[in-house]
């Protein structure tokens, strides 16, 4: 039996902007199971990034419960949520978010440095990941010397390096041409499945939707399951 890894119970989220409240989620319930690849689609401003930020504990719900691996994020303070995120979650962003003043290897080791996990085995893992992602020879470069596709592959390695159980990806191919994007996605899908990780990805790419186990969208502040991409 596959266990739930991410659970929302009665989750509501409102932003207050310029004195006006804007409801993004209204009483959302959902369960994402271990090892599932969920794709989140929907129009701009519908709340896709907000949902990822709620899962990662960067943002907080107003009402309801978010449980990750059976632990409620609402019961944690900001510091506890940060530590929990560093351990359990890997994030891939649209604009790669590599640190320009650090070499590729130092960018890659950063999540381990933050959790005090750098040792021989983890450095070996870093080299192995760069190899799998075909960017092994780039480890001493700085990010600005790399193409977009290469930078995103480094960002994928960085999201995986600390062996998190959950990968969150927010439009990871949004800045890449179609062919490069497809290549990056199939590598990400392969590595995530190989390790049995759970992934939630925001994307507009129809190719990814074909790889996903589930496709969700946000409609009227609720999460709705799509049987086929509309
Ligand atoms: N930090 C914030 N403060 C105020 N409003 C926000 C904030 N983050 C997002 N929003 C609003 O919430 C809605 C959903 O945003 P977002 O999750 O970024 O949408 P998407 O990723 O689907 O484009 C938008 O109307 C956006 O303006
Ligand atoms: Mg967004």
């Amino acid at each position: 039996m596959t266990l739930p890894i991410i659970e929302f119970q009665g989750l509501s989220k409102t932003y207050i902007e310029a004195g006006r409240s804007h409801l993004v989620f209204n009483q959302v319930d959902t369960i994402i199971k271990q090892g599932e690849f969920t794709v989140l689609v929907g129009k701009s401003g519908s709340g896709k990034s907000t949902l990822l930020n709620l899962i990662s504990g960067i943002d907080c719900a107003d009402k309801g419960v978010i449980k990750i691996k059976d632990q409620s994020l609402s019961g944690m303070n900001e510091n506890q949520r940060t530590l929990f995120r560093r351990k359990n979650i890997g994030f891939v962003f649209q604009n790669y978010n590599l640190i320009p003043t650090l070499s590729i290897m130092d960018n890659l080791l950063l999540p381990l440095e933050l959790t005090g996990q750098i040792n021989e085995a983890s450095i070996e893992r870093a080299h192995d990941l760069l190899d799998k992602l075909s960017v092994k020879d780039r480890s001493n470069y700085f990010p600005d010397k790399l193409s977009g596709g290469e930078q995103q592959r480094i960002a994928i390695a960085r999201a995986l390096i600390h062996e998190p159980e959950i990968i969150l990806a927010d439009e990871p191919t949004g800045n890449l041409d179609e062919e490069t994007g497809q290549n990056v996605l199939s590598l990400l899908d392969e590595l995530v499945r190989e390790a049995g990780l759970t992934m939630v990805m925001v994307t507009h790419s129809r190719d990814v939707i074909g790889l996903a186990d589930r496709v969700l969208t946000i409609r009227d502040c609720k999460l709705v399951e799509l049987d086929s991409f509309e």
Side-chain angles (χ1 to χ4, degrees):
M1 201 181 74
T2 328
L3 297 171
I5 187 163
I6 301 168
E7 287 179 79
F8 292 164
Q9 296 162 0
L11 174 99
S12 296
K13 176 73 190 172
T14 301
Y15 283 119
I16 313 281
E17 230 181 347
R20 295 170 73 177
S21 67
H22 175 94
L23 183 64
V24 184
F25 292 113
N26 186 16
Q27 300 269 340
V28 169
D29 298 296
T30 203
I31 291 178
I32 292 173
K33 291 182 187 153
Q34 256 169 27
E36 229 169 31
F37 176 11
T38 302
V39 158
L40 183 60
V41 298
K43 56 181 194 288
S44 179
S46 59
K48 303 181 299 298
S49 297
T50 301
L51 192 86
L52 297 190
N53 290 338
L54 289 167
I55 294 172
S56 67
I58 290 171
D59 212 338
C60 288
D62 308 321
K63 266 193 253 163
V65 174
I66 304 174
K67 279 191 194 167
I68 310 288
K69 294 180 21 176
D70 244 354
Q71 291 185 63
S72 170
L73 292 182
S74 19
M76 299 181 196
N77 64 30
E78 195 176 339
N79 188 38
Q80 290 169 322
R81 286 200 312 275
T82 301
L83 295 176
F84 190 77
R85 175 167 62 246
R86 283 180 185 164
K87 181 169 186 297
N88 294 293
I89 290 178
F91 226 116
V92 183
F93 303 90
Q94 177 169 357
N95 55 3
Y96 329 126
N97 280 14
L98 298 175
I99 296 176
T101 52
L102 294 181
S103 72
I104 293 309
M105 186 48 87
D106 288 342
N107 264 283
L108 188 46
L109 294 176
L110 197 59
L112 298 173
E113 208 152 294
L114 292 172
T115 50
Q117 287 176 295
I118 296 196
N119 53 41
E120 245 172 70
S122 63
I123 291 173
E124 195 172 317
R125 178 170 161 77
H127 284 292
D128 186 45
L129 273 169
L130 291 178
D131 192 16
K132 279 187 175 154
L133 288 157
S134 313
V135 276
K136 194 169 76 174
D137 56 338
R138 298 288 191 266
S139 64
N140 294 322
Y141 285 51
F142 283 84
D144 67 348
K145 295 286 178 291
L146 270 57
S147 70
E150 287 171 330
Q151 289 191 53
Q152 196 59 305
R153 278 182 275 156
I154 304 302
I156 288 170
R158 183 186 54 184
L160 293 166
I161 188 78
H162 53 303
E163 303 187 276
E165 289 184 48
I166 299 172
I167 299 292
L168 303 175
D170 199 347
E171 307 199 32
T173 60
N175 288 357
L176 303 174
D177 64 71
E178 200 179 324
E179 193 186 332
T180 308
Q182 238 169 316
N183 171 266
V184 163
L185 284 171
S186 56
L187 281 167
L188 178 58
D189 181 56
E190 198 180 302
L191 290 171
V192 162
R193 289 199 190 268
E194 188 182 284
L197 310 181
T198 307
M199 177 154 66
V200 183
M201 183 187 291
V202 173
T203 186
H204 300 291
S205 160
R206 280 166 187 273
D207 299 316
V208 187
I209 291 160
L211 296 171
D213 298 313
R214 290 171 85 187
V215 183
L216 299 177
T217 192
I218 300 160
R219 204 173 281 156
D220 301 329
C221 306
K222 300 270 192 200
L223 273 182
V224 182
E225 197 109 18
L226 295 180
D227 291 331
S228 60
F229 187 47
E230 295 161 10

